[in-house]
Amino acid sequence: MLAAVMHTAFFLLLAASVARYLLRHPGSPDTPWIIALGTALALLYVLGPALGAAPTARRLAWLGLVVGVWVVLVVLAPSFAWCAVPLFYTALRTLPPRAAIVLVALLTVFVVAAQLKLSREFDPNLLLAPPAIAALSTAVFVHMERQAQAQRELIDDLIRTRRELAATERREGTLAERQRLSMEIHDTLAQHLSSQQMLLQAADRVWDDSPATARAHVRTATGIAARGLAEARRLVHDLAPPELAGGAGLADALRALDAGPEVEVRFHLEGTPVPLPDRVQSALLRVAQGALANVREHAGARTAALTLSFLGDQVVLDVADDGAGFDGTRPPRASGEERGHGLPAMRARVGQLGGTLTIESAEGEGTVLSAAIPLEHQP
């Protein structure tokens, strides 16, 4: 905006100076030179924007030619002196600060000399006004340049901050996805492989004495392997849990769960079922699978009960077993009740949905795990 104003002002002042000379000096022998030099100055000035604002050799040569032609015009016709104001701006844009100030001072000297030459008597304003205008123009330009530089630095900082924030969000997203996948693998593939290992080991122990029991164990392991394969494919395609595929409800998926041949699993439904978001269904199903895996591997239980309760503003899943239990007042060991991804994964799943996970247990009295998820703010 400022550049357009200064360019327009230059051509207006140049045209006004040419017109003034022609009106004041009709038939002067210098008229052809004034017209030629004025035209040359206008053409040179037009070439300026094409050379850019950087102080390159061509740009400096161009500025030297413009100032040189202007000086000749001022010598021939002092009325051209006021074209110096736009030239102040051009010099300040092109040269380093110190060199620009020196050039502005020289241009000001020419303006003062030209005005004194035009005046028939000494006028202090002619001596003081040009330096004041030059100083004011320079101060305004320098202030605007500093503001523009501060804005550019601020914009660069904002862009850099936005890029850093985007990179941080990508890293956090990657870590969250890794955590999600690790929990998925632990709650599905790892548990299925563990069950298969236990069943195959049991089949190996009774293979000679009880072939029918061994074959039953192998068939059960085969079924678990099929479910594990479905889970692996789901992880690849990032689909919903296969137990919930095809429109199956959470209650049906929980009812179909088991904890191996040595644990009887019972399912209870309480309250009036309401449609649950996919994330809630998936989280509760994974909690149930993880809890039953712990029952199978650590509790030594004979029965486990799954209870899904709809309590209006929340849904609660309870998993109770009659196993050995543990001392609930003891802090968890580094490897033990909360080793690996078991209970921490469950807490993370439920916590991501704004819910809570509580565990009550006592040695010899079994364990009750409860996951409660509020429904009011679920998408």
Side-chain angles (χ1 to χ4, degrees), residues 148-164:
Q149 181 63 29
Q151 289 180 348
R152 287 191 291 269
E153 292 176 355
L154 178 60
I155 291 173
D156 291 342
D157 289 341
L158 290 176
I159 293 175
R160 182 168 57 254
T161 301
R162 184 174 64 181
R163 289 175 179 172
E164 292 175 353

CSV table of all heavy atoms in Angstrom, one decimal, residues 148-164:
chain,number,residue,atom,x,y,z
A,148,ALA,N,6.9,-4.1,10.5
A,148,ALA,CA,6.8,-5.2,9.5
A,148,ALA,C,7.7,-6.3,9.8
A,148,ALA,O,7.3,-7.5,9.7
A,148,ALA,CB,7.1,-4.6,8.1
A,149,GLN,N,9.0,-6.0,10.3
A,149,GLN,CA,9.9,-7.1,10.6
A,149,GLN,C,9.4,-7.9,11.9
A,149,GLN,O,9.5,-9.1,11.9
A,149,GLN,CB,11.3,-6.5,10.9
A,149,GLN,CG,12.3,-7.5,11.3
A,149,GLN,CD,12.6,-8.5,10.2
A,149,GLN,OE1,12.4,-8.2,9.0
A,149,GLN,NE2,13.0,-9.7,10.6
A,150,ALA,N,8.8,-7.1,12.8
A,150,ALA,CA,8.3,-7.8,14.0
A,150,ALA,C,7.1,-8.7,13.6
A,150,ALA,O,7.0,-9.8,14.2
A,150,ALA,CB,7.8,-6.7,15.0
A,151,GLN,N,6.3,-8.2,12.7
A,151,GLN,CA,5.1,-9.0,12.3
A,151,GLN,C,5.6,-10.3,11.5
A,151,GLN,O,5.1,-11.4,11.7
A,151,GLN,CB,4.2,-8.2,11.4
A,151,GLN,CG,3.4,-7.1,12.1
A,151,GLN,CD,2.5,-6.3,11.2
A,151,GLN,OE1,2.6,-6.4,9.9
A,151,GLN,NE2,1.6,-5.6,11.8
A,152,ARG,N,6.7,-10.1,10.7
A,152,ARG,CA,7.2,-11.3,10.0
A,152,ARG,C,7.8,-12.3,11.0
A,152,ARG,O,7.6,-13.5,10.8
A,152,ARG,CB,8.3,-10.8,9.0
A,152,ARG,CG,7.7,-10.1,7.8
A,152,ARG,CD,8.8,-10.0,6.7
A,152,ARG,NE,9.8,-9.0,7.1
A,152,ARG,CZ,9.8,-7.7,6.8
A,152,ARG,NH1,8.8,-7.2,6.2
A,152,ARG,NH2,10.8,-6.9,7.2
A,153,GLU,N,8.5,-11.8,12.0
A,153,GLU,CA,9.0,-12.7,13.0
A,153,GLU,C,7.9,-13.4,13.8
A,153,GLU,O,8.0,-14.6,14.1
A,153,GLU,CB,10.0,-11.9,13.9
A,153,GLU,CG,11.2,-11.4,13.3
A,153,GLU,CD,12.1,-10.6,14.2
A,153,GLU,OE1,11.6,-10.3,15.4
A,153,GLU,OE2,13.2,-10.2,13.9
A,154,LEU,N,6.9,-12.6,14.1
A,154,LEU,CA,5.7,-13.2,14.8
A,154,LEU,C,5.1,-14.3,13.9
A,154,LEU,O,4.7,-15.4,14.4
A,154,LEU,CB,4.7,-12.1,15.2
A,154,LEU,CG,3.5,-12.6,15.9
A,154,LEU,CD1,3.8,-13.3,17.2
A,154,LEU,CD2,2.5,-11.5,16.1
A,155,ILE,N,4.9,-14.0,12.7
A,155,ILE,CA,4.3,-15.0,11.8
A,155,ILE,C,5.2,-16.2,11.6
A,155,ILE,O,4.7,-17.4,11.7
A,155,ILE,CB,4.0,-14.4,10.4
A,155,ILE,CG1,2.9,-13.3,10.5
A,155,ILE,CG2,3.7,-15.4,9.4
A,155,ILE,CD1,2.7,-12.5,9.2
A,156,ASP,N,6.5,-16.0,11.5
A,156,ASP,CA,7.4,-17.2,11.5
A,156,ASP,C,7.3,-18.0,12.8
A,156,ASP,O,7.3,-19.2,12.7
A,156,ASP,CB,8.9,-16.7,11.3
A,156,ASP,CG,9.1,-16.1,9.9
A,156,ASP,OD1,8.2,-16.3,9.0
A,156,ASP,OD2,10.0,-15.3,9.7
A,157,ASP,N,7.2,-17.3,13.9
A,157,ASP,CA,7.1,-18.0,15.2
A,157,ASP,C,5.8,-18.8,15.2
A,157,ASP,O,5.8,-20.0,15.7
A,157,ASP,CB,7.1,-17.0,16.4
A,157,ASP,CG,8.5,-16.5,16.6
A,157,ASP,OD1,9.5,-17.1,16.1
A,157,ASP,OD2,8.7,-15.4,17.2
A,158,LEU,N,4.7,-18.2,14.8
A,158,LEU,CA,3.4,-18.9,14.7
A,158,LEU,C,3.5,-20.1,13.8
A,158,LEU,O,3.0,-21.2,14.2
A,158,LEU,CB,2.3,-17.9,14.3
A,158,LEU,CG,2.0,-16.8,15.3
A,158,LEU,CD1,0.9,-15.9,14.7
A,158,LEU,CD2,1.4,-17.4,16.6
A,159,ILE,N,4.1,-19.9,12.7
A,159,ILE,CA,4.2,-21.1,11.7
A,159,ILE,C,5.0,-22.2,12.3
A,159,ILE,O,4.7,-23.4,12.3
A,159,ILE,CB,4.8,-20.6,10.4
A,159,ILE,CG1,3.8,-19.7,9.7
A,159,ILE,CG2,5.1,-21.8,9.5
A,159,ILE,CD1,4.3,-19.0,8.4
A,160,ARG,N,6.2,-21.8,12.9
A,160,ARG,CA,7.0,-22.8,13.6
A,160,ARG,C,6.3,-23.5,14.7
A,160,ARG,O,6.4,-24.7,14.9
A,160,ARG,CB,8.3,-22.1,14.1
A,160,ARG,CG,9.3,-23.1,14.7
A,160,ARG,CD,10.7,-22.4,14.9
A,160,ARG,NE,10.6,-21.2,15.7
A,160,ARG,CZ,10.7,-20.0,15.3
A,160,ARG,NH1,10.8,-19.8,14.0
A,160,ARG,NH2,10.6,-19.0,16.1
A,161,THR,N,5.6,-22.7,15.5
A,161,THR,CA,4.8,-23.3,16.7
A,161,THR,C,3.8,-24.2,16.1
A,161,THR,O,3.6,-25.3,16.7
A,161,THR,CB,4.2,-22.2,17.5
A,161,THR,OG1,5.2,-21.3,18.0
A,161,THR,CG2,3.4,-22.8,18.7
A,162,ARG,N,3.1,-23.8,15.1
A,162,ARG,CA,2.1,-24.7,14.5
A,162,ARG,C,2.6,-26.0,14.0
A,162,ARG,O,2.1,-27.1,14.2
A,162,ARG,CB,1.3,-24.0,13.4
A,162,ARG,CG,0.1,-24.7,12.8
A,162,ARG,CD,-0.6,-23.9,11.8
A,162,ARG,NE,0.2,-23.6,10.7
A,162,ARG,CZ,-0.2,-22.8,9.7
A,162,ARG,NH1,-1.5,-22.3,9.7
A,162,ARG,NH2,0.5,-22.6,8.6
A,163,ARG,N,3.8,-25.9,13.4
A,163,ARG,CA,4.5,-27.1,12.9
A,163,ARG,C,4.9,-28.0,14.0
A,163,ARG,O,4.7,-29.2,14.0
A,163,ARG,CB,5.7,-26.7,12.0
A,163,ARG,CG,5.3,-26.1,10.7
A,163,ARG,CD,6.5,-25.6,9.9
A,163,ARG,NE,6.2,-25.1,8.6
A,163,ARG,CZ,7.1,-24.4,7.8
A,163,ARG,NH1,8.3,-24.3,8.2
A,163,ARG,NH2,6.7,-24.0,6.7
A,164,GLU,N,5.5,-27.4,15.1
A,164,GLU,CA,5.9,-28.2,16.2
A,164,GLU,C,4.7,-28.8,16.9
A,164,GLU,O,4.7,-30.0,17.4
A,164,GLU,CB,6.6,-27.3,17.2
A,164,GLU,CG,7.9,-26.8,16.7
A,164,GLU,CD,8.6,-25.8,17.7
A,164,GLU,OE1,7.9,-25.4,18.7
A,164,GLU,OE2,9.8,-25.4,17.5
